[in-house]
Amino acid sequence: MATKVKTYTANLGKTLRETNKCKGRLLYYFPPKETPAPEEKGQVAEDGWIGWHNDSGFMTGLTPDMFVDDTDGSVMENPDPEGAGLWIVDRDSSAVRVRVPPDCMAIQVGECTQVVTGGEFVATPHCVRGVRPQFVPAGRKVARVACPCFVDTHPTFKLRIPEGFSADEMLAKGVSSKVPPLAERWEPGQSFGDFLGATFRRYYDWALGKSGPAAKKARTA
Ligand SMILES: [Fe+2]
């Protein structure tokens, strides 16, 4: 960034190397519930294991996922490799299934990196889809295990775009109908901590709008 954009000042290499805001989360995704309705037989929600979102921070390191039998913990191959696991929205706005090879890790760009690079890096909307019922081996319950590592800055870190960059252009990058727009949550010069607070509130409202009483009313109207 420093060689490409002369006004870039975030110095993320140093900032993230020295941060104490680095956390790994060992996540366990329980087997999806039985099919809820006859007309949806054989289906699982597109984002049933984790809903569509952008990571709000700076960088997320992703290990390859593991699939296990929920009853005894034995490891198995992904029984639904075309469906189950991590999905992202690519730069053409298509949903794409992503596989991280067993000996690799993936780095996911978060929204704060999008802001401080003026949109040179773009946050990637993603979700996790469960195993479709027809692919679950008989008598087994399939769960998923993953361990993302979130690398962020101190909450007081100021989220500024590089001088000479357009906020509107930065905010227009990676816009997707699947996640709340960054423009509704970021303000110039805002601290990372305040941005996180605004983002959690917006995602909460967004989730209520999609599945809460108001949304149900609208769907049945
Ligand atoms: Fe995420």
Side-chain angles (χ1 to χ4, degrees):
M1 273 300 295
T3 53
K4 194 170 174 187
V5 178
K6 296 297 173 207
T7 54
Y8 171 78
T9 55
N11 202 3
L12 275 191
K14 181 173 187 297
T15 307
L16 296 183
R17 194 163 51 243
E18 294 175 354
T19 184
N20 57 3
K21 294 286 286 178
C22 181
K23 54 190 178 293
R25 285 196 187 131
L26 185 56
L27 301 178
Y28 190 83
Y29 303 75
F30 288 90
K33 293 258 188 303
E34 294 298 318
T35 313
E39 69 271 18
E40 293 172 3
K41 209 165 172 52
Q43 301 298 312
V44 289
E46 180 186 57
D47 56 350
W49 258 341
I50 282 189
W52 284 104
H53 66 284
N54 278 340
D55 287 353
S56 339
F58 290 82
M59 302 272 178
T60 309
L62 299 176
T63 57
D65 51 10
M66 283 174 63
F67 290 81
V68 299
D69 190 319
D70 183 62
T71 48
D72 61 11
S74 57
V75 178
M76 63 172 77
E77 291 292 318
N78 182 350
D80 180 12
E82 301 301 318
L86 179 67
W87 286 75
I88 64 162
V89 175
D90 68 11
R91 299 298 174 236
D92 299 322
S93 302
S94 305
V96 177
R97 167 88 177 91
V98 173
R99 292 176 190 81
V100 183
D103 56 349
C104 296
M105 70 184 293
I107 303 295
Q108 198 149 258
V109 172
E111 290 177 327
C112 290
T113 299
Q114 177 168 334
V115 172
V116 301
T117 63
E120 291 293 311
F121 285 79
V122 181
T124 308
H126 55 285
C127 74
V128 182
R129 186 182 296 183
V131 178
R132 288 171 288 183
Q134 65 268 38
F135 292 96
V136 176
R140 308 197 80 178
K141 289 185 181 303
V142 186
R144 177 179 185 263
V145 182
C147 186
C149 184
F150 302 92
V151 186
D152 295 320
T153 65
H154 192 276
T156 58
F157 184 93
K158 298 286 188 214
L159 299 175
R160 295 193 179 95
I161 58 173
E163 218 178 300
F165 273 61
S166 149
D168 288 342
E169 281 177 27
M170 180 280 289
L171 293 167
K173 298 271 180 76
V175 168
S176 165
S177 61
K178 296 180 186 298
V179 295
L182 182 55
E184 293 179 5
R185 296 172 281 121
W186 172 76
E187 291 170 15
Q190 191 178 30
S191 72
F192 171 47
D194 287 345
F195 172 69
L196 276 189
T199 293
F200 291 155
R201 281 191 293 278
R202 186 66 188 88
Y203 268 91
Y204 184 73
D205 291 343
W206 179 270
L208 284 184
K210 276 165 68 175
S211 59
K216 277 186 189 144
K217 211 171 162 187
R219 278 202 298 273
T220 51

